[in-house]
Amino acid sequence: MTCVATPTLVKGSRSTRSTIALKILMAVTGLVFIGYVLLHMYGNLKVFAGQEAFDEYAHHLRTFGEPMLPYGGLLWVIRAVLLLSVIGHAYSAFALWSRASKARTHKYVMMKAVTATLSSRMMRWGGVALLLFVVFHLLHLTTHTINVNGDPGSPYERLVSSFQPGQWWVAVIYLLAMLALAMHLRHGVFSVSQTLGYSNNARSRARANFAGVFLAVVIAGGFALVPLSILFGIVD
Amino acid sequence: MKIKLKIWRQPNAGTKGAMHDYDLAEVSEDMSFLEMLDLLNENLNEQGEDPVAFDSDCREGICGTCSLMINGQAHGPDVATTCQLHMRSFKDGDTITVEPWRAEAFPVLKDLIVDRSAFDRIIQSGGFISANTGSAPEANNLPVEKAKADRAFDVATCIGCGACVAACPNGSASLFVGAKITHLGELPQGQPERDMRVVDMVAQADYEGFGGCTNIGECTAACPKEIPQDVISQLNKDLRTAMKHGH
Amino acid sequence: MTESTTTRVSDAADYFTLGDAIADTKAPHDVSVPQMWEERKAHANLVNPANRRKIKVIMVGTGLAGASAAATLGEAGYHVESFCYQDSPRRAHSIAAQGGINAAKNYRNDGDSVYRLFYDTVKGGDFRSRESNSWRLAEVSASIIDQCVAQGVPFAREYGGLLDNRSFGGVQVSRTFYARGQTGQQLLIGAYQALERQVAAGTVTTHTRHEMLELVVVDGVAKGIIVRDMVTGEIETHLGDAVVLATGGYGNVYFLSTNAMGCNVTAAWRAHRKGAYMGNPCYTQIHPTCIPVSGENQSKLTLMSESLRNDGRIWVPKKKEDCAKDPRDIPEEDRDYYLERIYPAFGNLVPRDIASRQAKYMCDDGRGVGPEVDGVRRGVYLDFADAIDRLGLEAVKTKYGNLFDMYKQITAENPYELPMRVYPAVHYVMGGLWVDYDLESNVSGLFVAGEANFSDQGANRLGASALMQGLADGYFVLPYTIANYLAHPAERIDESHPAVVEAKQAVEERINHFLTVNGTRSVDSYHKELGHLMWEYCGMERSKEGLTHAIESIRELKADFWKNVKVLGTADTLNQSLERAGRVADFLELGELMCIDALNRRESAGGHFRAESQTPDGEAERIDEEFAYVAAWEWGGEDGHTPVLHQEALSYEAIEMKARSYK
């Protein structure tokens, strides 16, 4: 006698071991990034206040919290949080990615996307692109390993010299990255709301969608202003 | 009208399949898509060729038995089940690609028929309210706010067809699970088991091999009952609440 | 033919043998009808909770009756093996019931009571149901609503949060509970979830994509079933202490019906061939409001809920020349709201059989609407223009939106602008396996629940009563009555028993036969031809001449089927033609018996209308002195043997038997 149905039911299930827990990890770390890029973008805009203000701002970031914190302490705290977030975000992304590819090994001959936005379909590769950009960005403006230009003592000079028309490709890399960031944020912000359970009706879902577009435009746009302004000589 | 069909043929679960081409004439616009396949099968039977196996039962859009990926869309181009799709949605001379639902959790049994028993096991894991027969209190003892009752009904219209999984690039069952979580979670009767229900159902869905949700919304677009994406957010919220409660 | 009423020779005399009269022996007849169920429960045998898990119940079918019974028996601790041909228990065709479920709750304070529901059921059934069963049905109806609400069935509610009701055809109170137009779905999902909960608890094992092909009977006692695994083709034996058939109705004998494609009579018919009596097989319900047939290749008919008749008005043009016109161009004075005209008291809410027959008459009179199929327009208007004026578009949308959408999807016409076209179609069968008060057939240990039994509905079923009966049987009747049987179960047998071997062999031989005939005609072509004969001669109106013709034609068709059917493929795979061949083979035999039953019953009652038996103004004429009995048919044997008719006399003590009038 064969019993076909009910081979197994999961025993001792835990919320923390679920795919949704992975998604929550991704959403929370994503929120950290959203907060960080918002502040980072705000700080970057100081460049429009001139060299002194910008360098002062950069210096202040390092002395922030003294004497409770050592010189540069806050930055290291932020870096640590960001590093952990990157690990968490990437881990959950790759774990979910691998689950998804295992969930359908036999692909369709024909498959149409009906409502999916481009940004929602670009999350994974866009995320990888952003990760590579962050590495480039750190090597460029934090560790000064590549494309060394200007006085290392003045962040303003380093910045402005990096985006001169003579090496337009640096600006292009940054601008492309901002496009990727915009797309990642457009879907990411909505996704955070979905995953954390804040868009469980039509109105809140519409709000979450709007927030995604809004933050994408504000943050990526704000960042992009700097290289664009330098490229076109508005800031020099 | 005349149409060309490209259909997935696979003799059984253990054998490899392939797409096959068929020409079909004398298709009328008033036929449903499945009646068109019936006609194809009558012809194949006539020619001594094994008819195409596909699932269907009520043919009025409610039992959830029919499936089919039609031209890359679950249940075809209309917001309806395949049995309610009519040939008037196609044009003379069209080529129509027909494939089974594709998901590891929905293995193909033959041709266009897949095994969706994973959905039953998800329900077994917690998709119910424990109310033994005979133990129920008088029905009107517990009024239910109309808005909640209506929402519970709206999401309880899920027919378990699996289109959400089929359309999802991640092969996720989140819409199916979310619909049940929301249905039972909206009602006062569903509260005592709410935390364990979501934890168990999500664990079972994971175990069956469904993917995670990336909130892109293809499931909702494919759902013949138009279950909204809200239910996935509700599902996530309920799981987070259960997590907070230590489950 | 002799015309003396008492000894008149049956019209079907050549086709059957008269057997002994039978009677229900289980209902406690020493108490009055309202006390019977309490009395029966009070004295039924019980099974000790510790012993229940050792008792195995085989449950075939997972619709409202099967799923609710399996869940309830599982909760009680019995070991239940549940079977369905669908890929999931949730897909059983109960899911398609739209309108609602009746219950004598009297929430509307409009004078409803158990007695009223009982009265309406028996009157609606045209005094051809068993009084004791109908009373019990009404009695347990209220508990069903309680149970379903506790399970989380999202019934429609009022703003105050309490349950809403609506009224339905054939009654004058508002007692129907509903979940928009998907009540059957919601109730079935409730029962399905309860069933799956028991699967998780380990009391119930489900076998999906399994079709019962034979009943194992030893010395008049049901011992188990033979099933085919529809995926692997394996023939399996399942033996137990009792077998329950909750396998639904056989409306698909008409090929076109509102049943699901897979609905079939095979389980019931196999039981019939093994000795179980078939009760009133000719009692078929034709639902008045279905979407009309549109073409040759149509595979099924879609019902539009009867609830539409609450607000929609049915009419045809007064003049034949208006039939092809746009209905919006036909002025009010040229419209014939025929139900309101003929039946002013009930108007559009007359019972289903009456509404159906009148629609047929209008179309036969040449006043039908819609496209001509075979030269006749078969459709009448169901018009919501007045309702939209009176209630507003939004209110109509809320109440009927999904039905309107469905209509539009199928016909490509917008019912908010154009009146819908409807026509009767086969929807439900009141006939089925004969059972006693305990729902046990004459084969000991074989229980039959829901639409599969000959039911509490008599010759016609009221709207919103099928869901009620399915759940009443499954939740509240069978669990008590089967326990009475299981308290002293018969001895079990094992798979080596000659009865098992023989049953299994018979199944295999039949399958082999279908696969080796190598004929020229497809299974569906036979099914269509049978359906056409049944609809034409054993449909809304039946006559001696037509039925006799049908019986002879079906016999020829059957003989040809066995010689000339073409079934491809093999037995050891998923083979849908093979599945259908077995079902059509049984439909052919059933169709013949239905015609014989219809021919014998030379009266008009409920859904059974004999042309020879009508009043001067064309209404159904019941002949109580001759036909106040349940016709329980015993299988006579293969060709050349005639079925045997056993009569169970019907008498009424709680209700006065009188002519049914809705005027």
Side-chain angles (χ1 to χ4, degrees):
Chain A
M1 196 161 68
T2 54
C3 297
V4 170
T6 68
T8 20
L9 288 182
V10 175
K11 296 266 188 295
S13 49
R14 304 286 309 167
S15 59
T16 44
R17 281 190 232 128
S18 64
T19 46
I20 296 179
L22 281 175
K23 282 152 50 77
I24 292 175
L25 174 61
M26 179 178 285
V28 170
T29 51
L31 269 181
V32 170
F33 294 134
I34 292 169
Y36 175 75
V37 290
L38 202 58
L39 292 173
H40 187 352
M41 182 273 292
Y42 170 76
N44 284 12
L45 294 181
K46 289 270 183 203
V47 86
F48 293 104
Q51 179 164 15
E52 205 173 316
F54 189 78
D55 287 348
E56 169 58 29
Y57 158 72
H59 179 70
H60 181 68
L61 281 179
R62 283 158 180 81
T63 57
F64 195 99
E66 278 185 341
M68 285 285 282
L69 292 171
Y71 179 79
L74 176 71
L75 282 191
W76 282 110
V77 170
I78 291 175
R79 281 171 189 148
V81 170
L82 286 177
L83 185 66
L84 285 176
S85 296
V86 166
I87 293 169
H89 206 72
Y91 166 73
S92 50
F94 284 108
L96 287 166
W97 196 343
S98 131
R99 268 199 78 83
S101 45
K102 278 187 216 140
R104 179 173 299 127
T105 51
H106 196 300
K107 303 287 178 233
Y108 290 106
V109 171
M110 196 191 229
M111 171 111 169
K112 277 185 197 153
V114 182
T115 57
T117 55
L118 182 66
S119 42
S120 70
R121 284 185 288 147
M122 293 299 289
M123 287 305 274
R124 285 169 186 151
W125 290 111
V128 171
L130 284 172
L131 187 63
L132 291 175
F133 168 73
V134 167
V135 173
F136 169 79
H137 178 53
L138 291 175
L139 291 173
H140 178 210
L141 290 178
T142 306
T143 64
H144 312 306
T145 319
I146 50 173
N147 191 242
V148 186
N149 279 306
D151 173 10
S154 166
Y156 180 87
E157 256 189 48
R158 292 262 314 119
L159 182 70
V160 173
S161 59
S162 294
F163 296 119
Q164 290 306 314
Q167 40 171 344
W168 54 269
W169 55 272
V170 177
V172 168
I173 289 175
Y174 273 81
L175 289 173
L176 283 176
M178 287 313 105
L179 183 64
L181 178 64
M183 287 172 71
H184 210 72
L185 281 170
R186 190 258 166 274
H187 185 69
V189 170
F190 169 71
S191 240
V192 164
S193 166
Q194 274 284 104
T195 301
L196 296 182
Y198 297 124
S199 41
N200 57 357
N201 60 53
R203 265 171 58 207
S204 54
R205 202 145 41 78
R207 272 202 302 269
N209 247 316
F210 174 76
V213 176
F214 180 79
L215 282 173
V217 170
V218 168
I219 294 174
F223 274 128
L225 275 182
V226 177
L228 282 173
S229 306
I230 297 170
L231 201 59
F232 294 108
I234 300 167
V235 172
D236 53 19
Chain B
M1 58 197 213
K2 278 186 185 164
I3 49 164
K4 279 186 188 306
L5 290 159
K6 291 180 180 297
I7 301 180
W8 179 261
R9 301 302 307 266
Q10 180 176 340
N12 54 51
T15 315
K16 270 196 155 185
M19 298 299 284
H20 283 240
D21 293 355
Y22 302 94
D23 288 307
L24 191 60
E26 290 175 38
V27 174
S28 110
E29 312 206 301
D30 288 330
M31 279 181 185
S32 72
F33 193 85
L34 297 180
E35 284 163 1
M36 180 275 291
L37 289 181
D38 288 342
L39 181 66
L40 172 72
N41 279 345
E42 280 289 295
N43 292 352
L44 290 178
N45 196 67
E46 185 89 2
Q47 295 154 16
E49 205 180 319
D50 198 20
V52 180
F54 62 90
D55 264 331
S56 84
D57 206 22
C58 80
R59 295 211 179 178
E60 51 184 278
I62 193 75
C63 73
T65 308
C66 62
S67 54
L68 306 188
M69 200 71 172
I70 300 166
N71 281 345
Q73 281 180 266
H75 291 302
D78 292 6
V79 181
T81 53
T82 297
C83 65
Q84 297 294 288
L85 173 67
H86 283 69
M87 294 309 291
R88 64 179 86 97
S89 298
F90 300 91
K91 293 190 306 291
D92 188 36
D94 274 1
T95 300
I96 307 174
T97 305
V98 189
E99 296 173 79
W101 286 169
R102 295 278 184 211
E104 295 312 289
F106 289 168
V108 173
L109 296 176
K110 182 178 180 181
D111 295 342
L112 301 171
I113 296 183
V114 299
D115 178 359
R116 288 169 289 195
S117 55
F119 272 9
D120 289 332
R121 291 188 291 276
I122 292 176
I123 297 298
Q124 283 159 24
S125 70
F128 47 75
I129 289 170
S130 299
N132 281 359
T133 306
S135 61
E138 152 60 39
N140 259 351
N141 271 356
L142 197 55
V144 181
E145 198 183 312
K146 184 166 166 55
K148 289 187 170 221
D150 286 351
R151 184 172 191 227
F153 171 82
D154 284 340
V155 298
T157 57
C158 167
I159 56 175
C161 64
C164 47
V165 174
C168 176
N170 306 313
S172 171
S174 293
L175 196 71
F176 172 78
V177 179
K180 189 48 62 193
I181 288 296
T182 309
H183 161 205
L184 300 177
E186 280 292 324
L187 299 170
Q189 293 86 352
Q191 299 315 310
E193 294 165 293
R194 192 166 180 176
D195 283 347
M196 279 322 292
R197 177 182 307 125
V198 68
V199 173
D200 288 342
M201 288 180 75
V202 169
Q204 189 66 32
D206 288 349
Y207 176 81
E208 297 290 344
F210 293 105
C213 174
T214 51
N215 306 313
I216 70 165
E218 284 298 318
C219 50
T220 297
C223 177
K225 298 296 152 185
E226 301 175 78
I227 308 278
Q229 236 180 319
D230 311 358
V231 301
I232 299 182
S233 195
Q234 186 68 53
L235 166 72
N236 296 333
K237 187 177 192 172
D238 278 22
L239 188 100
R240 193 161 54 82
T241 308
M243 204 182 263
K244 212 159 67 187
H245 295 167
H247 291 289
Chain C
M1 190 190 298
T2 36
E3 277 303 326
S4 119
T5 49
T6 44
T7 58
R8 182 158 62 185
V9 175
S10 164
D11 283 354
D14 295 344
Y15 297 104
F16 74 90
T17 318
L18 189 64
D20 298 337
I22 54 167
D24 165 38
T25 55
K26 304 277 178 60
H29 286 284
D30 46 344
V31 296
S32 68
V33 171
Q35 270 90 54
M36 281 182 179
W37 182 229
E38 278 307 315
E39 180 70 13
R40 181 77 191 110
K41 283 194 289 183
H43 295 104
N45 298 318
L46 298 173
V47 180
N48 181 318
N51 288 338
R52 291 178 197 161
R53 68 189 160 80
K54 293 178 238 159
I55 293 177
K56 184 149 102 182
V57 178
I58 294 191
M59 183 74 61
V60 189
T62 59
L64 285 180
S68 59
T72 304
L73 292 173
E75 287 160 9
Y78 295 100
H79 172 176
V80 181
E81 299 279 335
S82 158
F83 298 82
C84 66
Y85 74 77
Q86 296 91 344
D87 74 324
S88 163
R90 69 179 292 152
R91 312 222 191 271
H93 199 56
S94 305
I95 204 153
Q98 298 169 357
I101 176 165
N102 288 329
K105 281 281 197 187
N106 195 29
Y107 282 163
R108 286 306 172 96
N109 200 27
D110 57 1
D112 198 11
S113 62
V114 169
Y115 177 80
R116 288 268 186 195
L117 178 49
F118 157 76
Y119 176 93
D120 288 339
T121 305
V122 176
K123 181 188 170 200
D126 221 352
F127 298 90
R128 289 293 175 265
S129 62
R130 192 188 287 146
E131 190 182 37
S132 51
N133 287 48
S134 299
W135 185 283
R136 178 177 62 192
L137 178 63
E139 188 178 335
V140 303
S141 64
S143 310
I144 297 172
I145 304 302
D146 299 340
Q147 179 61 28
C148 295
V149 165
Q151 287 171 344
V153 171
F155 282 119
R157 286 177 185 268
E158 298 167 335
Y159 282 99
L162 301 177
L163 293 160
D164 195 14
N165 290 116
R166 59 185 172 199
S167 57
F168 244 65
V171 302
Q172 289 174 313
V173 293
S174 210
R175 64 159 76 96
T176 305
F177 295 78
Y178 66 101
R180 213 165 300 167
Q182 283 146 264
T183 317
Q185 180 197 26
Q186 295 309 317
L187 295 174
L188 183 65
I189 296 297
Y192 157 73
Q193 288 170 187
L195 172 74
E196 295 294 3
R197 173 174 164 243
Q198 289 311 305
V199 172
T203 57
V204 178
T205 306
T206 49
H207 305 261
T208 58
R209 294 196 196 267
H210 278 65
E211 182 167 27
M212 169 178 160
L213 294 178
E214 201 52 272
L215 180 72
V216 178
V217 178
V218 179
D219 299 332
V221 182
K223 299 287 187 185
I225 59 174
I226 310 288
V227 297
R228 178 171 180 271
D229 178 330
M230 292 158 73
V231 177
T232 64
E234 194 186 336
I235 305 298
E236 303 170 5
T237 305
H238 294 269
L239 301 168
D241 297 299
V243 175
V244 183
L245 300 186
T247 49
Y250 47 77
N252 269 349
V253 67
Y254 292 86
F255 186 72
L256 282 181
S257 79
T258 67
N259 283 187
M261 301 305 286
C263 290
N264 66 79
V265 76
T266 291
W269 195 255
R270 296 283 115 194
H272 173 61
R273 289 177 59 114
K274 283 288 173 77
Y277 297 164
M278 198 73 179
N280 298 331
C282 78
Y283 284 169
T284 308
Q285 182 158 80
I286 316 277
H287 195 287
T289 55
C290 299
I291 299 177
V293 176
S294 69
E296 264 300 292
N297 291 293
Q298 193 144 354
S299 59
K300 93 148 255 156
L301 296 172
T302 302
L303 175 147
M304 302 295 291
S305 168
E306 179 160 20
S307 63
L308 291 167
R309 286 200 280 146
N310 269 321
D311 291 308
R313 298 179 71 195
I314 293 176
W315 63 277
V316 292
K318 282 184 181 163
K319 294 181 274 188
K320 292 176 188 173
E321 57 272 26
D322 282 352
C323 291
K325 277 191 188 166
D326 183 325
R328 290 168 295 190
D329 296 341
I330 302 174
E332 198 62 26
E333 63 271 20
D334 288 340
R335 299 176 175 192
D336 180 8
Y337 295 91
Y338 58 89
L339 290 178
E340 297 170 27
R341 171 172 59 81
I342 307 172
Y343 308 97
F346 281 78
N348 293 300
L349 290 176
V350 291
R352 292 173 169 176
D353 55 323
I354 294 177
S356 296
R357 212 150 48 235
Q358 288 298 341
K360 174 179 158 51
Y361 292 157
M362 295 302 137
C363 297
D364 288 350
D365 188 35
R367 293 195 286 142
V369 296
E372 286 190 11
V373 177
D374 297 333
V376 192
R377 295 180 201 280
R378 296 230 170 262
V380 299
Y381 289 125
L382 175 59
D383 199 335
F384 273 78
D386 282 0
I388 292 173
D389 279 350
R390 183 163 44 90
L391 306 167
L393 187 66
E394 278 314 305
V396 171
K397 260 190 188 159
T398 310
K399 250 175 149 171
Y400 306 112
N402 65 318
L403 297 170
F404 280 32
D405 292 348
M406 186 170 82
Y407 181 85
K408 193 178 173 187
Q409 182 71 30
I410 292 171
T411 62
E413 286 176 10
N414 181 356
Y416 291 104
E417 288 165 10
L418 270 178
M420 291 187 239
R421 289 175 293 108
V422 296
Y423 196 68
V426 173
H427 168 55
Y428 182 90
V429 291
M430 284 71 68
L433 291 172
W434 183 88
V435 289
D436 60 22
Y437 191 63
D438 281 2
L439 303 184
E440 189 175 5
S441 73
N442 59 303
V443 174
S444 185
L446 175 69
F447 292 77
V448 190
E451 190 182 348
N453 69 30
F454 87 102
S455 135
D456 315 345
Q457 317 283 5
N460 172 58
R461 178 175 64 74
L462 287 181
S465 283
L467 302 182
M468 173 171 70
Q469 192 215 335
L471 290 181
D473 286 0
Y475 283 134
F476 296 109
V477 178
L478 193 73
Y480 291 96
T481 60
I482 203 170
N484 179 68
Y485 175 81
L486 293 171
H488 307 289
E491 205 178 318
R492 276 206 206 165
I493 56 171
D494 64 30
E495 291 196 21
S496 61
H497 191 284
V500 176
V501 176
E502 189 202 317
K504 216 171 162 175
Q505 209 169 8
V507 166
E508 280 159 357
E509 274 168 14
R510 208 162 113 105
I511 289 173
N512 275 338
H513 176 84
F514 292 136
L515 290 170
T516 50
V517 182
N518 272 329
T520 57
R521 279 184 68 179
S522 72
V523 176
D524 271 11
S525 75
Y526 285 101
H527 195 177
K528 272 186 191 174
E529 192 173 335
L530 170 68
H532 183 74
L533 286 167
M534 294 300 292
W535 179 240
E536 210 49 45
Y537 302 110
C538 198
M540 274 185 280
E541 187 172 313
R542 299 134 184 214
S543 69
K544 180 179 179 183
E545 197 190 352
L547 289 164
T548 314
H549 170 73
I551 294 169
E552 297 306 327
S553 307
I554 292 171
R555 286 181 175 177
E556 283 168 29
L557 188 65
K558 185 173 108 180
D560 189 64
F561 172 83
W562 284 94
K563 285 197 299 258
N564 197 25
V565 71
K566 182 176 188 178
V567 181
L568 298 170
T570 57
D572 59 356
T573 56
L574 199 158
N575 187 338
Q576 293 176 317
S577 310
L578 178 63
E579 292 160 17
R580 282 200 278 263
R583 294 171 193 167
V584 171
D586 292 334
F587 277 138
L588 283 161
E589 292 178 359
L590 167 76
E592 184 183 329
L593 183 67
M594 286 172 74
C595 291
I596 293 172
D597 185 39
L599 186 58
N600 171 57
R601 191 168 284 276
R602 196 189 168 283
E603 68 160 348
S604 297
H608 175 65
F609 190 83
R610 274 291 292 267
E612 295 90 340
S613 183
Q614 44 186 310
T615 61
D617 56 350
E619 294 296 323
E621 188 174 24
R622 229 174 51 215
I623 306 173
D624 290 336
E625 53 278 17
E626 275 186 82
F627 294 105
Y629 64 78
V630 174
W633 296 90
E634 181 184 350
W635 171 248
E638 295 293 344
D639 295 343
H641 296 85
T642 51
V644 182
L645 172 63
H646 300 274
Q647 298 178 351
E648 179 199 338
L650 291 169
S651 61
Y652 296 89
E653 77 177 55
I655 183 171
E656 188 196 346
M657 206 172 182
K658 56 184 179 189
R660 194 174 67 139
S661 170
Y662 288 90
K663 287 201 170 172

